Amino acid sequence: MKLKIFSLALCIGAIPGAQAAAFGADLSAQCLTYDCAQMRVIKSAITHHDPRYVPAWRALTAQADAALSHTRYSVTDKTLVPASGDKHDYYSFGPYWWPNPDTKNGMPYIRKDGQINPDAKTNGTDSKRMVQFSDDVRSLALAWFYNGDKQYAVKAQQMLKAWFLDKETRMNPNLNYAQAIPGAIDGRGIGIIDTRVLIDVADSIALLQSSGLIPAQDLAGYKKWYADYTQWLLTSRNGFEESNWYNNHGAWYDAQVTAFSLFTGQEEQARKQMDIFKLRHLASQVNSNGEIISETERTRSFHYTNFALAAYARMGRYGEKLNKDTWGFELDGHSMKKAFALVSGQTGKPQTEWMHQEIQYQPSEATGPVLAAARAYKDVDFVQSAAKLTKTNNQDINLLIPGSVLVK
């Protein structure tokens, strides 16, 4: 059985420590969520046309090539204006909120869990735009890393500067007007989930530092923006509300504060948030069976379980960087490993084997979380599940970003 695990080691990123150390300690130190030492091994495998990675690499390159033709993104491009009257303030409204059928003007909006109102994803607000910005910057940064073509890094830097620095286009470092409810409230703490994608952007900046194409002044500006936003997260009423959510929102709040604190050199703050995550959120969210109970009660329970696990995996990775074991944390029978095991055990099984409601069952959503579990725990069950999922989803970007997890 050990031979089987070793044969899959490269696929899940579980490389021997000595081999990992041989690949650019400087780059590995500056990387945030990505395990860049393991990414260097994957890069070498791609140059040798390794079939385990080539399909994902080709898909990534296609995304990055498309991004080269995209214009820069800015919150000032929206057609609607938040309550502040300032287009530099990010603005969105809740995706599950719909016009009220019982009133003439549709106000106030009503909630339909799991059913996305397409009007929440238009150019009128910033939600779709921020995701597009994050997706493009991530694809460009990874394409530069894996392909070595500087045009990708140049384009990423242009997009980053427009979003964070340029006076005419930059976003203010707050989320006072996120996930508003038309006719009811200007913005909510729950909207902070929107900026989870800025973790991917910070990962991209960290990866691109060694490209030589981000001027020192710009890099300092990016880190100041993130430091200012982190301070807003920690001191605003919206941030306070989000920090106390019992479901994936609380975990993603923890992931943001921890990631942004690490990115800006505030290690003690990151350590404090890690402890909060383990004791306040992880221990209360996962039951003794491994169910994330606030997610399994939803109409899209499988999706939201994996979505929460994406935040958990990131916290596990930040624990590695802080030398604080998060993957192995357990309190009164509640542990992160059990939560990952529940999803891993569903691999290859029909939806009827998932004992909770799921109106849009997509088994592929478990690919990132299971790969992360295989990398962290190296148990046979996780490794075998990861092999099955990656064979079926061989273009999944999660194959190229060990250390991180992407579940949309």
Side-chain angles (χ1 to χ4, degrees):
M1 194 62 70
K2 289 183 179 180
L3 289 174
K4 185 175 183 62
I5 294 177
F6 181 77
S7 70
L8 291 168
L10 188 57
C11 181
I12 64 171
I15 60 175
Q19 186 180 0
F23 289 90
D26 54 338
L27 178 62
S28 299
Q30 74 186 29
C31 284
L32 180 60
T33 317
Y34 298 153
D35 187 332
C36 288
Q38 296 182 358
M39 287 171 63
R40 284 182 178 271
V41 176
I42 294 172
K43 180 176 181 178
S44 177
I46 291 172
T47 63
H48 292 89
H49 309 289
D50 192 317
R52 291 169 291 186
Y53 300 109
V54 168
W57 168 71
R58 286 176 176 165
L60 167 68
T61 302
Q63 293 168 12
D65 287 344
L68 289 172
S69 65
H70 295 168
T71 59
R72 63 97 181 102
Y73 299 99
S74 168
V75 292
T76 60
D77 292 337
K78 56 180 168 286
T79 58
L80 300 177
V81 182
S84 65
D86 185 354
K87 279 196 172 184
H88 290 275
D89 286 328
Y90 177 92
Y91 176 56
S92 67
F93 64 84
Y96 300 145
W97 291 85
W98 294 74
N100 191 330
D102 298 325
T103 62
K104 289 184 178 181
N105 64 359
M107 303 291 179
Y109 275 30
I110 61 172
R111 191 171 191 271
K112 299 180 182 180
D113 187 34
Q115 301 180 49
I116 296 177
N117 179 350
D119 289 342
K121 305 294 182 181
T122 69
N123 286 328
T125 61
D126 294 312
S127 178
K128 179 181 178 181
R129 185 175 294 105
M130 181 180 279
V131 172
Q132 291 173 325
F133 164 66
S134 171
D135 285 349
D136 277 4
V137 169
R138 180 181 57 242
S139 296
L140 290 164
L142 289 170
W144 165 78
F145 176 81
Y146 282 116
N147 297 357
D149 190 333
K150 286 192 174 182
Q151 67 173 330
Y152 298 119
V154 170
K155 184 67 175 183
Q157 162 64 358
Q158 292 172 354
M159 289 188 173
L160 290 165
K161 192 166 185 177
W163 191 273
F164 293 116
L165 301 182
D166 289 349
K167 183 178 179 180
E168 299 301 320
T169 58
R170 73 188 296 267
M171 172 185 166
N172 291 332
N174 72 73
L175 240 66
N176 290 321
Y177 307 100
Q179 291 209 17
I181 302 175
I185 191 168
D186 293 335
R188 299 177 294 158
I190 200 171
I192 289 171
I193 195 76
D194 290 4
T195 49
R196 72 188 184 281
V197 301
L198 293 185
I199 300 177
D200 297 327
V201 175
D203 283 324
S204 299
I205 297 171
L207 190 64
L208 287 167
Q209 283 186 56
S210 60
S211 71
L213 297 171
I214 299 182
Q217 183 176 354
D218 288 357
L219 180 61
Y222 299 145
K223 292 193 174 185
K224 183 180 186 306
W225 191 98
Y226 272 91
D228 290 344
Y229 183 58
T230 306
Q231 182 66 11
W232 179 87
L233 286 173
L234 292 168
T235 59
S236 66
R237 179 177 179 82
N238 282 2
F240 176 74
E241 290 177 1
E242 187 75 341
S243 70
N244 284 288
W245 266 93
Y246 59 88
N247 63 1
N248 67 78
H249 280 258
W252 275 111
Y253 175 89
D254 294 334
Q256 289 186 63
V257 171
T258 307
F260 301 159
S261 296
L262 285 170
F263 180 58
T264 56
Q266 302 175 83
E267 187 171 300
E268 286 308 308
Q269 188 167 276
R271 288 179 178 277
K272 178 181 179 181
Q273 200 66 40
M274 181 68 68
D275 289 337
I276 291 173
F277 165 72
K278 289 192 289 190
L279 297 173
R280 180 188 295 175
H281 290 141
L282 178 58
S284 64
Q285 290 178 2
V286 181
N287 68 16
S288 58
N289 295 321
E291 297 166 315
I292 305 177
I293 52 179
S294 59
E295 314 304 341
T296 54
E297 66 186 12
R298 302 189 65 172
T299 61
R300 296 201 60 200
S301 61
F302 188 74
H303 164 76
Y304 276 108
T305 293
N306 282 289
F307 185 59
L309 289 178
Y312 287 15
R314 290 165 189 257
M315 294 303 284
R317 172 62 179 150
Y318 304 143
E320 295 172 19
K321 297 183 72 69
L322 292 166
N323 293 315
K324 292 174 71 71
D325 182 19
T326 306
W327 291 107
F329 175 79
E330 182 172 352
L331 181 65
D332 296 332
H334 302 251
S335 72
M336 203 153 76
K337 187 174 184 179
K338 287 183 179 180
F340 281 95
L342 183 71
V343 167
S344 177
Q346 178 66 17
T347 303
K349 296 178 180 179
Q351 181 177 352
T352 53
E353 293 294 309
W354 181 253
M355 304 304 292
H356 307 281
Q357 185 179 8
E358 175 54 68
I359 60 177
Q360 297 180 36
Y361 184 62
Q362 298 180 46
S364 61
E365 291 186 317
T367 303
V370 173
L371 275 169
R375 173 187 172 275
Y377 299 115
K378 302 180 178 64
D379 289 3
V380 173
D381 289 344
F382 286 130
V383 171
Q384 291 177 340
S385 293
K388 291 177 183 177
L389 285 165
T390 54
K391 183 179 180 179
T392 305
N393 308 289
N394 65 356
Q395 294 187 15
D396 196 308
I397 194 175
N398 283 291
L399 284 161
L400 304 177
I401 52 173
S404 186
V405 170
L406 182 63
V407 176
K408 292 189 175 182

